[in-house]
Amino acid sequence: MAFAEAGFNLEIDLTRGSIERVATDPGLSKLYLGGLATNTKILWDRVPPEVEPFSPENLLIFGTGLLVGTPAPGCNRTIVSTISPQTQLMAYSMMGGFWAPELKYAGYDKVIFRGKSPTLVYLWINNDKVEIRDASHLAGKGAVETQELIRQELKQPYAQVAAIGLAGENRVFTASIEQGRSSASRLGIGAVMGDKRIKAVVVRGTKDINIARPAEYMQLCHEVLAYISDREEKPVPGVMPILAGLGSPQEMLHTDEKWHTENFSWGNSRTRRKEFWTKEVEEKWKETQETARTRLISCYNCPMKCGAIISLPGMSTYMMKCFTKLTYNMAAFVDDLDFGFRIAQRATEYGVDGFSTPQIMAFAFELREAGILSEDDFAGCPDDNEGKFYWLLDRIVRREGIGDILADGTHWAALKIGKGADAYAHNNIKKHEQLPLKLGMLNPVYFLMYCTGEKANITQIEGQFPQAPFPTMEEREEFVKDWVHVPDEKFKQYLLDWEVRGEKSNPYYPTIDMSVEIVDWQEKMHYIDDSLGMCAGLSSFPLKPPYHIHNYPILISAATGFDFDEAALSLAAKRSRTLLRAFNIRRGLSRADEKPPEDHWRKRFPELEEQLLDAYYKFKGWNNQGIPTKETLHELGMDYVSEDLEKRGILSYE
């Protein structure tokens, strides 16, 4: 009997139209946990590096985490993995909501797609009955609209639907997969879904999940709930509102946007508006948000309310997620928040990433102003700021005119446009648009996270260590009093000694070795979460979360019956992280790619930056090019990786 997991994957060959129910290897859970890690293992085994993102040989994997569907609060993430058309590396993106638990209840841990369908289809999973169904009548339909149409068609109001919009169908590189109360948006996985001609994956499940030690497990879950309740009554002082509590950044709960609007960059990630947040703006934005926000909502089995139902006159209802309530406003320099809510609704139906897409549009208009793109490229474009952004969004999603070039993202668009356009694609890491954030002094911890994160997305690396030092020793001492989450007591001292200015401040403090250790801890927690299917908002992302390195092993052991301790859990996380690294190395990732945007920090320190990378690579057990060494791979039981890298001439024989 499988504990915590369903024990079966669905294998869908779209070219042949075949469906297989395949038993999984329980030994993989002991080594890799599940979720992201086992997705990576499948891609390593079955997708060689010469496979292109839009090749039939590329896989698209919808994976659930090891603890998804169990009573663990907040454990509901779907991990979607494939090869990114934008970075050419492994893409993985998480979505919350209800889809992953429903798949577990249907009896499956993963759905693995290979090949390409000759026509548009959707997959219907109803417990043991699985069908590939025609979706030609859904062509061009919005991602949210598609979800409701399929539920009506199947007469299944409780079915969970993950769908693409027109952007995915047209293989826009920033296309997302939308699912009820969440989306998998980064790195263009919706484009791969569209290339395979999958409009939606629909699931309804009514089976049980077995827990090895249910009484113990339920007690642990009750303790987590009690901690969440207590922690919510004790917000962390001295940090921005969205970091003071728990959950994914609760942008729709909070109306104070002084920090984001004055510190994040507007337009094409260039302009900071330091005096933007006036009393008048605050009152207007608060009124707009509270009018648009019908109610706050949660994902499956979670007490937090991180999303919101948005309903405005003249448009269909949708769910607003995180920072996207601001991205379109800030890209277009529009001061009326109503614009952001309205264009985000259209973008959600189209199914596009709300971080990259606004930057691409701002990039295009900057090229127009510079004369690199001509007025002919914008024939028919309205003159007003709001209208021109709606116009260009439509062109990108439909791949019409200049939109066809921009649909590949700023990196690839700049190469096609030429004429110096590459200088305007200035906010990329590994060909992927970053958060529009420009700062002053280099931060060594964030430098490493930006450079080395395999997802190339900072929010999937940062977390439990504060973003900046507290101004006074009294504040620091107060913070560390109940900081039980640290893997080692030394991290408390690192924070106590960290100062806003002086000898123990950025860029030389935290020191190189401290910075590496901090990054490793934060990174480790994200890899654990992404393997368990846990929302980062209750573990790896916030300060003082309910889940941490000390209670996770107890929870996993009670759920699975495996004998996990902190060392075993850390080893599983390291194995996951190293395999993903090796996968991307095999696809051509090199040290030269590990750099933040040139203008991300105003004050840079090239020698220190090289030393930080050297130290990080050494700590991870990689050589100075960032390639895992043969010794490291052997210690992790991953000789199969070193053998492959040696055969390909990537890792030299020793």
Side-chain angles (χ1 to χ4, degrees), residues 515-553:
S515 296
V516 168
E517 291 172 342
I518 292 167
V519 172
D520 180 70
W521 168 30
Q522 296 190 125
E523 185 178 81
K524 177 193 300 183
M525 296 312 301
H526 278 284
Y527 275 84
I528 292 170
D529 286 346
D530 295 346
S531 293
L532 298 180
M534 181 61 69
C535 172
L538 292 177
S539 176
S540 50
F541 185 77
L543 301 170
K544 301 182 179 178
Y547 296 105
H548 46 80
I549 193 65
H550 304 305
N551 65 0
Y552 256 153

Side-chain angles (χ1 to χ4, degrees), residues 267 327-328 330-334 339 343 346 357-363 365 381-382 384-394:
T327 52
Y328 293 95
M330 295 178 71
F333 286 98
V334 174
F339 164 75
I343 195 171
R346 183 180 297 189
T357 311
Q359 290 188 60
I360 295 168
M361 293 191 285
F363 159 81
F365 287 117
C381 179
D384 66 290
N385 231 19
E386 297 184 13
K388 71 183 186 183
F389 267 74
Y390 280 112
W391 180 88
L392 190 55
L393 175 62
D394 293 346

